[in-house]
Amino acid sequence: MKVAIIKYNAGNIQSVDYALKRLGVEASVTADHEEIRSADRVIFPGVGEASTTMAYLREHKLDKLITDLKQPVLGICLGLQLMCRHSEEGDVECLGIFDETVKRFVLDHKLLPSMKIPHMGWNTISGLKSNLFDKSIEGEYCYFVHSYYATTGSDTAAICSYPEPFSAALQKNNFFAVQFHPEKSGAVGAKILENFLRLTI
Amino acid sequence: MLSKRIIPCLDIRNGQTVKGINFINIIEVGDPVELGKLYSEQGADELVFLDITATHEGRKTFVELVKRIAANLNIPFTVGGGISEIRDADALLAAGADKISINSSAIKNPKLIDDLALHFGSQFVVVAIDAREENKHWEATMHGGRIPTGKELFSWAKEAENRGAGEILFTSMNHDGTKQGFANEALAHLSGLLTIPLIASGGAGTMEHFADLFKHGKADAGLAASIFHFGEIAIPDLKQYLRGEGICVR
């Protein structure tokens, strides 16, 4: 199986590569359009700022490339946010694969006295609705680090709450995305990555 | 619900855990990767690897070690020790570190926090503060508490947050090594001032100390070294105990 990890101006790509290696998969970390288009699976990872990253994607014509992909695509963290319609981070139009918008967490000490930003650490995911997950994952903890979140809607495939519900995962056709870091979420995360490699659409 | 994190801290010298670590009283582990994996399997939520090597050679060994940790560990980890410029952080990010922690270098050059946050994002930057209380005044110190800095703990932590730190790791030098519990009063005050997560360190001796830390110290995470390394507290037992105390843990 050919797996391409999209290389762009974002951090944390190394960890995803390592996680796939632990599953016995040698991925290529690449920005080459043909290599990405011909891969069986494409992973769109990332940690970074939304508007500068979108500008980079447009400049390198990766925006159109990603939205036209037909094979299973998995966005991670910033990847998920950029696959939405719009992000408040730098007030930027994103790829629009999912109809959700990305907003910044607002401190709400009435609802959650201990609330901090970023939402950092292990939180539970529930309401799972995608073949990215199996029943054993319902209510399990995954590792999150983010200050912006995607709203919930018809494409929401998993919910997390901080304290209000947001999209921990989204899916539409061949496009999958998770806000948490499966590559850092222990055995649960490894299972989700494995499911992504195995699933059929 | 977001869980409270339990973080074992490992001291590394020349690529090996500092000797004397006797994991769960059974296995002696020198390789930080093996020890890290054991902790991860036991339910540690994150790990901190602190390089206490002072030499240039040792530093290169550490970067190689970070690559092996990143390749083998499937939970987040922070690395610290000797990071004083962007170049150091860049090498550690490229090796696969999730976060870096800076301490003395931030005190000497606070702008380093701004620069690191700008280059790598706040989520990558942990500012560690070792502080000592004297006559109700908390002062940040350097070099293991030996050198006072003139910076007051609370204002320095808030400044670090404003400059772009993603987390604060506060060690009370009054409590460190005493096993008498965490500095809960100072921690609760600090947690209330900050909008970013707070990791508490110094004073863990019993499981009750962690319950007190989360109930009264209001910290988001608890860090400890010897009680885990010497098998005095096993992480699964600690988590079970905390759950029984109504504290959300993974």
PDB file of all heavy atoms in Angstrom, chain A residues 48-76:
ATOM      1  N   GLY A  48       0.182  24.295  13.212  1.00  0.00           N
ATOM      2  CA  GLY A  48       0.622  25.586  12.696  1.00  0.00           C
ATOM      3  C   GLY A  48      -0.512  26.577  12.711  1.00  0.00           C
ATOM      4  O   GLY A  48      -1.534  26.344  13.364  1.00  0.00           O
ATOM      5  N   GLU A  49      -0.346  27.675  12.010  1.00  0.00           N
ATOM      6  CA  GLU A  49      -1.338  28.743  11.992  1.00  0.00           C
ATOM      7  C   GLU A  49      -2.137  28.633  10.688  1.00  0.00           C
ATOM      8  O   GLU A  49      -1.573  28.394   9.610  1.00  0.00           O
ATOM      9  CB  GLU A  49      -0.624  30.092  12.108  1.00  0.00           C
ATOM     10  CG  GLU A  49      -1.501  31.243  12.502  1.00  0.00           C
ATOM     11  CD  GLU A  49      -2.167  31.923  11.330  1.00  0.00           C
ATOM     12  OE1 GLU A  49      -1.662  31.788  10.188  1.00  0.00           O
ATOM     13  OE2 GLU A  49      -3.198  32.563  11.537  1.00  0.00           O
ATOM     14  N   ALA A  50      -3.473  28.788  10.778  1.00  0.00           N
ATOM     15  CA  ALA A  50      -4.345  28.494   9.648  1.00  0.00           C
ATOM     16  C   ALA A  50      -4.103  29.383   8.425  1.00  0.00           C
ATOM     17  O   ALA A  50      -3.938  28.875   7.308  1.00  0.00           O
ATOM     18  CB  ALA A  50      -5.808  28.584  10.082  1.00  0.00           C
ATOM     19  N   SER A  51      -4.058  30.717   8.614  1.00  0.00           N
ATOM     20  CA  SER A  51      -4.025  31.585   7.432  1.00  0.00           C
ATOM     21  C   SER A  51      -2.692  31.476   6.687  1.00  0.00           C
ATOM     22  O   SER A  51      -2.676  31.443   5.443  1.00  0.00           O
ATOM     23  CB  SER A  51      -4.337  33.034   7.805  1.00  0.00           C
ATOM     24  OG  SER A  51      -3.347  33.551   8.663  1.00  0.00           O
ATOM     25  N   THR A  52      -1.566  31.383   7.413  1.00  0.00           N
ATOM     26  CA  THR A  52      -0.279  31.250   6.709  1.00  0.00           C
ATOM     27  C   THR A  52      -0.193  29.889   6.011  1.00  0.00           C
ATOM     28  O   THR A  52       0.355  29.788   4.913  1.00  0.00           O
ATOM     29  CB  THR A  52       0.923  31.397   7.668  1.00  0.00           C
ATOM     30  OG1 THR A  52       0.722  30.553   8.791  1.00  0.00           O
ATOM     31  CG2 THR A  52       1.129  32.812   8.134  1.00  0.00           C
ATOM     32  N   THR A  53      -0.769  28.867   6.644  1.00  0.00           N
ATOM     33  CA  THR A  53      -0.724  27.547   6.026  1.00  0.00           C
ATOM     34  C   THR A  53      -1.599  27.506   4.775  1.00  0.00           C
ATOM     35  O   THR A  53      -1.200  26.939   3.750  1.00  0.00           O
ATOM     36  CB  THR A  53      -1.170  26.465   7.030  1.00  0.00           C
ATOM     37  OG1 THR A  53      -0.416  26.642   8.230  1.00  0.00           O
ATOM     38  CG2 THR A  53      -0.908  25.079   6.489  1.00  0.00           C
ATOM     39  N   MET A  54      -2.790  28.126   4.828  1.00  0.00           N
ATOM     40  CA  MET A  54      -3.655  28.175   3.642  1.00  0.00           C
ATOM     41  C   MET A  54      -2.954  28.909   2.499  1.00  0.00           C
ATOM     42  O   MET A  54      -3.037  28.485   1.341  1.00  0.00           O
ATOM     43  CB  MET A  54      -4.990  28.876   3.964  1.00  0.00           C
ATOM     44  CG  MET A  54      -6.112  27.979   4.457  1.00  0.00           C
ATOM     45  SD  MET A  54      -6.380  26.449   3.516  1.00  0.00           S
ATOM     46  CE  MET A  54      -6.861  27.082   1.915  1.00  0.00           C
ATOM     47  N   ALA A  55      -2.280  29.996   2.841  1.00  0.00           N
ATOM     48  CA  ALA A  55      -1.562  30.764   1.808  1.00  0.00           C
ATOM     49  C   ALA A  55      -0.499  29.879   1.152  1.00  0.00           C
ATOM     50  O   ALA A  55      -0.339  29.890  -0.080  1.00  0.00           O
ATOM     51  CB  ALA A  55      -0.922  32.005   2.427  1.00  0.00           C
ATOM     52  N   TYR A  56       0.182  29.101   1.981  1.00  0.00           N
ATOM     53  CA  TYR A  56       1.217  28.194   1.469  1.00  0.00           C
ATOM     54  C   TYR A  56       0.596  27.134   0.549  1.00  0.00           C
ATOM     55  O   TYR A  56       1.104  26.858  -0.539  1.00  0.00           O
ATOM     56  CB  TYR A  56       1.944  27.524   2.639  1.00  0.00           C
ATOM     57  CG  TYR A  56       3.058  26.586   2.220  1.00  0.00           C
ATOM     58  CD1 TYR A  56       4.381  27.018   2.135  1.00  0.00           C
ATOM     59  CD2 TYR A  56       2.777  25.252   1.898  1.00  0.00           C
ATOM     60  CE1 TYR A  56       5.388  26.151   1.746  1.00  0.00           C
ATOM     61  CE2 TYR A  56       3.786  24.383   1.508  1.00  0.00           C
ATOM     62  CZ  TYR A  56       5.093  24.835   1.438  1.00  0.00           C
ATOM     63  OH  TYR A  56       6.085  23.985   1.051  1.00  0.00           O
ATOM     64  N   LEU A  57      -0.538  26.559   0.978  1.00  0.00           N
ATOM     65  CA  LEU A  57      -1.198  25.517   0.175  1.00  0.00           C
ATOM     66  C   LEU A  57      -1.621  26.074  -1.182  1.00  0.00           C
ATOM     67  O   LEU A  57      -1.450  25.432  -2.216  1.00  0.00           O
ATOM     68  CB  LEU A  57      -2.420  24.957   0.916  1.00  0.00           C
ATOM     69  CG  LEU A  57      -2.161  24.163   2.201  1.00  0.00           C
ATOM     70  CD1 LEU A  57      -3.479  23.721   2.830  1.00  0.00           C
ATOM     71  CD2 LEU A  57      -1.271  22.945   1.947  1.00  0.00           C
ATOM     72  N   ARG A  58      -2.174  27.301  -1.169  1.00  0.00           N
ATOM     73  CA  ARG A  58      -2.623  27.916  -2.424  1.00  0.00           C
ATOM     74  C   ARG A  58      -1.444  28.189  -3.343  1.00  0.00           C
ATOM     75  O   ARG A  58      -1.498  27.915  -4.539  1.00  0.00           O
ATOM     76  CB  ARG A  58      -3.371  29.227  -2.137  1.00  0.00           C
ATOM     77  CG  ARG A  58      -4.720  28.968  -1.527  1.00  0.00           C
ATOM     78  CD  ARG A  58      -5.699  30.126  -1.701  1.00  0.00           C
ATOM     79  NE  ARG A  58      -6.935  29.758  -1.023  1.00  0.00           N
ATOM     80  CZ  ARG A  58      -7.304  30.210   0.175  1.00  0.00           C
ATOM     81  NH1 ARG A  58      -6.557  31.099   0.802  1.00  0.00           N
ATOM     82  NH2 ARG A  58      -8.418  29.803   0.722  1.00  0.00           N
ATOM     83  N   GLU A  59      -0.385  28.717  -2.746  1.00  0.00           N
ATOM     84  CA  GLU A  59       0.812  29.053  -3.526  1.00  0.00           C
ATOM     85  C   GLU A  59       1.381  27.809  -4.226  1.00  0.00           C
ATOM     86  O   GLU A  59       1.859  27.884  -5.356  1.00  0.00           O
ATOM     87  CB  GLU A  59       1.859  29.651  -2.582  1.00  0.00           C
ATOM     88  CG  GLU A  59       3.042  30.298  -3.276  1.00  0.00           C
ATOM     89  CD  GLU A  59       4.134  30.642  -2.267  1.00  0.00           C
ATOM     90  OE1 GLU A  59       3.788  30.982  -1.123  1.00  0.00           O
ATOM     91  OE2 GLU A  59       5.315  30.523  -2.635  1.00  0.00           O
ATOM     92  N   HIS A  60       1.292  26.674  -3.555  1.00  0.00           N
ATOM     93  CA  HIS A  60       1.837  25.437  -4.120  1.00  0.00           C
ATOM     94  C   HIS A  60       0.763  24.575  -4.778  1.00  0.00           C
ATOM     95  O   HIS A  60       0.979  23.400  -5.051  1.00  0.00           O
ATOM     96  CB  HIS A  60       2.575  24.651  -3.033  1.00  0.00           C
ATOM     97  CG  HIS A  60       3.812  25.340  -2.555  1.00  0.00           C
ATOM     98  ND1 HIS A  60       3.776  26.370  -1.639  1.00  0.00           N
ATOM     99  CD2 HIS A  60       5.107  25.184  -2.903  1.00  0.00           C
ATOM    100  CE1 HIS A  60       5.010  26.811  -1.434  1.00  0.00           C
ATOM    101  NE2 HIS A  60       5.828  26.113  -2.185  1.00  0.00           N
ATOM    102  N   LYS A  61      -0.432  25.182  -4.975  1.00  0.00           N
ATOM    103  CA  LYS A  61      -1.570  24.523  -5.630  1.00  0.00           C
ATOM    104  C   LYS A  61      -1.957  23.201  -4.968  1.00  0.00           C
ATOM    105  O   LYS A  61      -2.487  22.292  -5.614  1.00  0.00           O
ATOM    106  CB  LYS A  61      -1.267  24.311  -7.132  1.00  0.00           C
ATOM    107  CG  LYS A  61      -0.968  25.627  -7.859  1.00  0.00           C
ATOM    108  CD  LYS A  61      -1.079  25.478  -9.347  1.00  0.00           C
ATOM    109  CE  LYS A  61      -1.183  26.804 -10.087  1.00  0.00           C
ATOM    110  NZ  LYS A  61      -0.267  27.869  -9.604  1.00  0.00           N
ATOM    111  N   LEU A  62      -1.652  23.115  -3.694  1.00  0.00           N
ATOM    112  CA  LEU A  62      -2.027  21.905  -2.952  1.00  0.00           C
ATOM    113  C   LEU A  62      -3.499  21.958  -2.551  1.00  0.00           C
ATOM    114  O   LEU A  62      -4.109  20.930  -2.270  1.00  0.00           O
ATOM    115  CB  LEU A  62      -1.140  21.743  -1.702  1.00  0.00           C
ATOM    116  CG  LEU A  62       0.295  21.261  -1.968  1.00  0.00           C
ATOM    117  CD1 LEU A  62       1.192  21.533  -0.763  1.00  0.00           C
ATOM    118  CD2 LEU A  62       0.318  19.777  -2.306  1.00  0.00           C
ATOM    119  N   ASP A  63      -4.101  23.163  -2.544  1.00  0.00           N
ATOM    120  CA  ASP A  63      -5.508  23.295  -2.141  1.00  0.00           C
ATOM    121  C   ASP A  63      -6.420  22.523  -3.089  1.00  0.00           C
ATOM    122  O   ASP A  63      -7.228  21.697  -2.673  1.00  0.00           O
ATOM    123  CB  ASP A  63      -5.926  24.769  -2.030  1.00  0.00           C
ATOM    124  CG  ASP A  63      -5.636  25.582  -3.285  1.00  0.00           C
ATOM    125  OD1 ASP A  63      -4.772  25.166  -4.087  1.00  0.00           O
ATOM    126  OD2 ASP A  63      -6.272  26.638  -3.478  1.00  0.00           O
ATOM    127  N   LYS A  64      -6.247  22.779  -4.374  1.00  0.00           N
ATOM    128  CA  LYS A  64      -7.080  22.106  -5.377  1.00  0.00           C
ATOM    129  C   LYS A  64      -6.753  20.611  -5.415  1.00  0.00           C
ATOM    130  O   LYS A  64      -7.657  19.775  -5.504  1.00  0.00           O
ATOM    131  CB  LYS A  64      -6.827  22.767  -6.747  1.00  0.00           C
ATOM    132  CG  LYS A  64      -7.529  22.122  -7.901  1.00  0.00           C
ATOM    133  CD  LYS A  64      -8.347  23.139  -8.700  1.00  0.00           C
ATOM    134  CE  LYS A  64      -9.018  22.543  -9.951  1.00  0.00           C
ATOM    135  NZ  LYS A  64      -9.682  21.267  -9.745  1.00  0.00           N
ATOM    136  N   LEU A  65      -5.464  20.319  -5.320  1.00  0.00           N
ATOM    137  CA  LEU A  65      -5.039  18.919  -5.332  1.00  0.00           C
ATOM    138  C   LEU A  65      -5.759  18.125  -4.231  1.00  0.00           C
ATOM    139  O   LEU A  65      -6.311  17.053  -4.480  1.00  0.00           O
ATOM    140  CB  LEU A  65      -3.524  18.828  -5.121  1.00  0.00           C
ATOM    141  CG  LEU A  65      -2.992  17.410  -4.976  1.00  0.00           C
ATOM    142  CD1 LEU A  65      -2.603  16.836  -6.323  1.00  0.00           C
ATOM    143  CD2 LEU A  65      -1.820  17.336  -4.024  1.00  0.00           C
ATOM    144  N   ILE A  66      -5.778  18.672  -3.024  1.00  0.00           N
ATOM    145  CA  ILE A  66      -6.383  17.944  -1.895  1.00  0.00           C
ATOM    146  C   ILE A  66      -7.888  17.766  -2.104  1.00  0.00           C
ATOM    147  O   ILE A  66      -8.416  16.664  -1.964  1.00  0.00           O
ATOM    148  CB  ILE A  66      -6.094  18.673  -0.556  1.00  0.00           C
ATOM    149  CG1 ILE A  66      -4.588  18.624  -0.235  1.00  0.00           C
ATOM    150  CG2 ILE A  66      -6.895  18.060   0.589  1.00  0.00           C
ATOM    151  CD1 ILE A  66      -4.131  19.537   0.892  1.00  0.00           C
ATOM    152  N   THR A  67      -8.575  18.839  -2.483  1.00  0.00           N
ATOM    153  CA  THR A  67     -10.042  18.739  -2.608  1.00  0.00           C
ATOM    154  C   THR A  67     -10.448  17.796  -3.751  1.00  0.00           C
ATOM    155  O   THR A  67     -11.539  17.251  -3.733  1.00  0.00           O
ATOM    156  CB  THR A  67     -10.691  20.124  -2.831  1.00  0.00           C
ATOM    157  OG1 THR A  67      -9.937  20.827  -3.827  1.00  0.00           O
ATOM    158  CG2 THR A  67     -10.697  20.935  -1.561  1.00  0.00           C
ATOM    159  N   ASP A  68      -9.569  17.580  -4.734  1.00  0.00           N
ATOM    160  CA  ASP A  68      -9.895  16.693  -5.861  1.00  0.00           C
ATOM    161  C   ASP A  68      -9.546  15.227  -5.611  1.00  0.00           C
ATOM    162  O   ASP A  68      -9.841  14.373  -6.458  1.00  0.00           O
ATOM    163  CB  ASP A  68      -9.156  17.158  -7.128  1.00  0.00           C
ATOM    164  CG  ASP A  68      -9.778  18.430  -7.701  1.00  0.00           C
ATOM    165  OD1 ASP A  68     -10.896  18.768  -7.260  1.00  0.00           O
ATOM    166  OD2 ASP A  68      -9.148  19.073  -8.565  1.00  0.00           O
ATOM    167  N   LEU A  69      -8.911  14.930  -4.495  1.00  0.00           N
ATOM    168  CA  LEU A  69      -8.479  13.548  -4.245  1.00  0.00           C
ATOM    169  C   LEU A  69      -9.680  12.603  -4.133  1.00  0.00           C
ATOM    170  O   LEU A  69     -10.728  12.986  -3.604  1.00  0.00           O
ATOM    171  CB  LEU A  69      -7.629  13.478  -2.971  1.00  0.00           C
ATOM    172  CG  LEU A  69      -6.239  14.131  -3.053  1.00  0.00           C
ATOM    173  CD1 LEU A  69      -5.564  14.160  -1.689  1.00  0.00           C
ATOM    174  CD2 LEU A  69      -5.341  13.418  -4.070  1.00  0.00           C
ATOM    175  N   LYS A  70      -9.519  11.374  -4.628  1.00  0.00           N
ATOM    176  CA  LYS A  70     -10.627  10.402  -4.612  1.00  0.00           C
ATOM    177  C   LYS A  70     -10.378   9.252  -3.632  1.00  0.00           C
ATOM    178  O   LYS A  70     -11.298   8.537  -3.264  1.00  0.00           O
ATOM    179  CB  LYS A  70     -10.819   9.809  -6.025  1.00  0.00           C
ATOM    180  CG  LYS A  70     -11.170  10.853  -7.082  1.00  0.00           C
ATOM    181  CD  LYS A  70     -12.628  11.292  -6.962  1.00  0.00           C
ATOM    182  CE  LYS A  70     -12.996  12.347  -7.998  1.00  0.00           C
ATOM    183  NZ  LYS A  70     -12.725  13.722  -7.506  1.00  0.00           N
ATOM    184  N   GLN A  71      -9.129   9.048  -3.264  1.00  0.00           N
ATOM    185  CA  GLN A  71      -8.795   7.968  -2.313  1.00  0.00           C
ATOM    186  C   GLN A  71      -9.051   8.443  -0.881  1.00  0.00           C
ATOM    187  O   GLN A  71      -9.245   9.635  -0.662  1.00  0.00           O
ATOM    188  CB  GLN A  71      -7.320   7.552  -2.496  1.00  0.00           C
ATOM    189  CG  GLN A  71      -6.290   8.598  -2.139  1.00  0.00           C
ATOM    190  CD  GLN A  71      -5.973   9.547  -3.274  1.00  0.00           C
ATOM    191  OE1 GLN A  71      -6.869  10.180  -3.816  1.00  0.00           O
ATOM    192  NE2 GLN A  71      -4.708   9.642  -3.624  1.00  0.00           N
ATOM    193  N   PRO A  72      -9.035   7.537   0.106  1.00  0.00           N
ATOM    194  CA  PRO A  72      -9.225   7.989   1.493  1.00  0.00           C
ATOM    195  C   PRO A  72      -8.139   8.983   1.924  1.00  0.00           C
ATOM    196  O   PRO A  72      -6.955   8.738   1.739  1.00  0.00           O
ATOM    197  CB  PRO A  72      -9.138   6.692   2.304  1.00  0.00           C
ATOM    198  CG  PRO A  72      -9.513   5.610   1.347  1.00  0.00           C
ATOM    199  CD  PRO A  72      -8.961   6.072   0.021  1.00  0.00           C
ATOM    200  N   VAL A  73      -8.590  10.116   2.475  1.00  0.00           N
ATOM    201  CA  VAL A  73      -7.697  11.173   2.941  1.00  0.00           C
ATOM    202  C   VAL A  73      -7.965  11.360   4.437  1.00  0.00           C
ATOM    203  O   VAL A  73      -9.128  11.389   4.850  1.00  0.00           O
ATOM    204  CB  VAL A  73      -7.982  12.497   2.198  1.00  0.00           C
ATOM    205  CG1 VAL A  73      -7.096  13.620   2.714  1.00  0.00           C
ATOM    206  CG2 VAL A  73      -7.806  12.322   0.692  1.00  0.00           C
ATOM    207  N   LEU A  74      -6.883  11.476   5.231  1.00  0.00           N
ATOM    208  CA  LEU A  74      -7.046  11.709   6.667  1.00  0.00           C
ATOM    209  C   LEU A  74      -6.362  13.011   7.080  1.00  0.00           C
ATOM    210  O   LEU A  74      -5.143  13.134   6.997  1.00  0.00           O
ATOM    211  CB  LEU A  74      -6.451  10.538   7.479  1.00  0.00           C
ATOM    212  CG  LEU A  74      -6.507  10.696   9.011  1.00  0.00           C
ATOM    213  CD1 LEU A  74      -7.946  10.721   9.524  1.00  0.00           C
ATOM    214  CD2 LEU A  74      -5.725   9.568   9.702  1.00  0.00           C
ATOM    215  N   GLY A  75      -7.163  13.981   7.505  1.00  0.00           N
ATOM    216  CA  GLY A  75      -6.614  15.227   8.042  1.00  0.00           C
ATOM    217  C   GLY A  75      -6.423  15.087   9.542  1.00  0.00           C
ATOM    218  O   GLY A  75      -7.254  14.489  10.214  1.00  0.00           O
ATOM    219  N   ILE A  76      -5.325  15.631  10.040  1.00  0.00           N
ATOM    220  CA  ILE A  76      -5.052  15.565  11.479  1.00  0.00           C
ATOM    221  C   ILE A  76      -4.833  16.969  12.027  1.00  0.00           C
ATOM    222  O   ILE A  76      -4.045  17.739  11.458  1.00  0.00           O
ATOM    223  CB  ILE A  76      -3.806  14.684  11.766  1.00  0.00           C
ATOM    224  CG1 ILE A  76      -4.042  13.236  11.312  1.00  0.00           C
ATOM    225  CG2 ILE A  76      -3.441  14.734  13.251  1.00  0.00           C
ATOM    226  CD1 ILE A  76      -2.830  12.327  11.441  1.00  0.00           C
TER     227      ILE A  76
END
